[in-house]
Amino acid sequence: MPTTSRAFLRRRGAAVALAATVLLAPFAQSAAAAESAAAPSSSAAAPSTDPATTVATIEARTARAVARSLADPAWQDRVEKAALASETVRLAPLADRADDEAAARTLAPRLHRAERRLAEAKGLDADTPPLLNLRLAADSMRAALADGRAPLVAAAPADETARTVPAYDSRGRTHTLNVRSVPERPVYIVDVDATRALAAGMDVLREELTAQGLGGAAARVADNAPTAQGGFWTTRITSVRLSDNKEPWVKGSSEIYTLVTGFGHDGKVRVDPVEMPYLDDEDHTYYPNQVLVNWSYYKYNLADAVMMEEDGGTNYHDLAQALATALLTITDQGMYIPLVNALLDAIPTDWWTDDPDYVDSWYTLAQGDRGTLNGAAGNGTMGVEPYFVDAL
């Protein structure tokens, strides 16, 4: 999935220069941390203030546990059939259904504990559906897996600059793989289902932003009601295209969302999250006809849009808190103030290791805008048009 390059991030100035420094930290440190995190342990993952690191730790430990479980031939056969039949396999439900495999019965409780820690790390509700997936890393591996070649199991590295990734076999041994060269041996990847995580995360983000006074119906005022009853003007996306991200084979798909910001009728900054689940591939033009901005929410005829990528490590509760802390200090001065930089600077710098990734931003969108708009970072383009939504 598309993400911005380090050059795009550097353009954001001093705050993002610090973030880029974090992104470019030596791989040796992250590799050592990942290897340590993958060591067998019966205790819960060590607490971390960095959600991406916590999620990476959970994924790494799960990958090693799954690898060891494949020593059971019956369970290995079940996993293989599931991986060949579907692009992604939900691990916990698969283990729950495997009543006859001893390895699955042992693995299942560990998976459920990992799911609870994962939901907590991402700031999601405890009843969030299982998020840990297993998938075959590349289609080119399908033939070797079907022919019975023993697979390895790995977790995608949190550090995007990593050149290698540890993978594990059923005897617990570690194999070092080059992330830029697809292995011939089958490799299962354990990671977070970004689609389900984003859907659950957007619900949390909307609830938290509304509770903090940054969105929701409470920001509407009575004098706007007649417009809402007769319909309202929006900006609709007619097309969208993002640049090549050149991500390695070990990284799976991720999800795009956009944070639309402006001043509500109460004079406070509001943030409206917009999911964009169709944005699967880079260098491909999509034609979603999706509403991006509902202008009835805003006081001024200008708004900003910041496009982000969910790769697994976002804590949506913390994201909402960080946005509220920064944006509630910005007051209406009787004129529009661009909010892109304030929004990006609100994100803690230690999150810029991988998640959430900044993709691009569009400043000062207006209700009458029509045509193709280039993103400020040069990583994306959007075709937009005014669109009136009639009341029923």
Side-chain angles (χ1 to χ4, degrees):
M1 286 295 296
T3 67
T4 185
S5 69
R6 305 301 179 275
F8 296 150
L9 292 176
R10 284 195 294 271
R11 293 174 190 170
R12 289 186 49 229
V16 179
L18 176 59
T21 301
V22 176
L23 277 169
L24 296 173
F27 169 68
Q29 295 179 2
S30 62
E35 191 65 24
S36 174
S41 172
S42 59
S43 61
S48 172
T49 57
D50 175 9
T53 299
T54 303
V55 170
T57 298
I58 294 169
E59 290 176 338
R61 288 182 172 176
T62 301
R64 191 157 195 169
V66 170
R68 286 184 175 275
S69 75
L70 297 179
D72 180 340
W75 169 241
Q76 179 177 336
D77 183 63
R78 181 183 289 270
V79 174
E80 176 185 313
K81 289 179 179 178
L84 290 173
S86 176
E87 289 186 3
T88 59
V89 179
R90 300 171 68 180
L91 273 171
L94 183 68
D96 289 340
R97 293 193 300 268
D99 295 331
D100 298 333
E101 287 87 355
R105 290 197 301 272
T106 301
L107 181 64
R110 186 165 189 167
L111 291 174
H112 286 289
R113 289 194 297 271
E115 291 285 3
R116 289 193 295 271
R117 295 196 298 270
L118 184 59
E120 181 179 358
K122 293 184 66 58
L124 303 176
D125 295 335
D127 60 353
T128 299
L131 297 176
L132 284 170
N133 275 355
L134 178 142
R135 59 182 171 81
L136 195 59
D139 284 340
S140 60
M141 301 173 179
R142 298 177 68 85
L145 184 65
D147 287 343
R149 188 166 183 187
L152 301 173
V153 185
D159 183 356
E160 288 185 339
T161 66
R163 297 180 180 178
T164 61
V165 60
Y168 312 103
D169 62 26
S170 60
R171 297 175 62 182
R173 296 175 300 191
T174 302
H175 303 251
T176 300
L177 306 179
N178 187 322
V179 299
R180 296 296 175 182
S181 178
V182 180
E184 294 182 1
R185 184 171 180 175
V187 181
Y188 292 138
I189 302 297
V190 171
D191 59 9
V192 172
D193 187 306
T195 302
R196 289 200 303 273
L198 181 60
M202 289 295 99
D203 289 340
V204 170
L205 190 58
R206 291 186 184 99
E207 291 173 4
E208 290 292 331
L209 290 173
T210 299
Q212 296 289 336
L214 287 173
R220 301 282 294 277
V221 294
D223 63 5
N224 192 50
T227 301
Q229 291 173 4
F232 52 90
W233 280 101
T234 70
T235 290
R236 182 167 68 172
I237 304 171
T238 57
S239 64
V240 60
R241 184 183 182 92
L242 299 177
S243 299
D244 183 7
N245 66 347
K246 296 181 174 61
E247 284 200 341
W249 59 269
V250 72
K251 298 287 285 186
S253 63
S254 50
E255 298 294 324
I256 297 293
Y257 62 99
T258 296
L259 301 176
V260 179
T261 65
F263 286 93
H265 294 277
D266 57 1
K268 295 180 180 179
V269 174
R270 66 174 289 133
V271 180
D272 293 294
V274 179
E275 295 177 57
M276 308 178 84
Y278 50 86
L279 275 172
D280 292 327
D281 298 315
E282 68 278 356
D283 285 335
H284 180 86
T285 302
Y286 293 86
Y287 304 92
N289 287 324
Q290 179 186 24
V291 170
L292 178 67
V293 186
N294 178 342
W295 290 105
S296 70
Y297 291 161
Y298 296 98
K299 178 179 179 179
Y300 299 107
N301 182 28
L302 290 174
D304 296 329
V306 177
M307 190 177 288
M308 308 289 288
E309 176 190 29
E310 152 69 38
D311 257 343
T314 309
N315 183 302
Y316 291 95
H317 180 272
D318 289 352
L319 176 58
Q321 294 288 334
L323 293 176
T325 298
L327 298 181
L328 285 176
T329 63
I330 302 174
T331 58
D332 182 9
Q333 302 296 319
M335 60 182 293
Y336 184 74
I337 302 171
L339 298 167
V340 170
N341 288 353
L343 187 150
L344 291 175
D345 290 342
I347 298 174
T349 55
D350 61 357
W351 285 23
W352 293 90
T353 52
D354 188 24
D355 306 297
D357 281 340
Y358 167 66
V359 177
D360 214 327
S361 49
W362 286 260
Y363 289 76
T364 57
L365 295 169
Q367 180 179 305
D369 283 344
R370 181 187 300 272
T372 301
L373 304 178
N374 294 319
N379 199 38
T381 59
M382 281 198 299
V384 299
E385 67 179 8
Y387 181 74
F388 189 78
V389 178
D390 291 306
L392 291 174

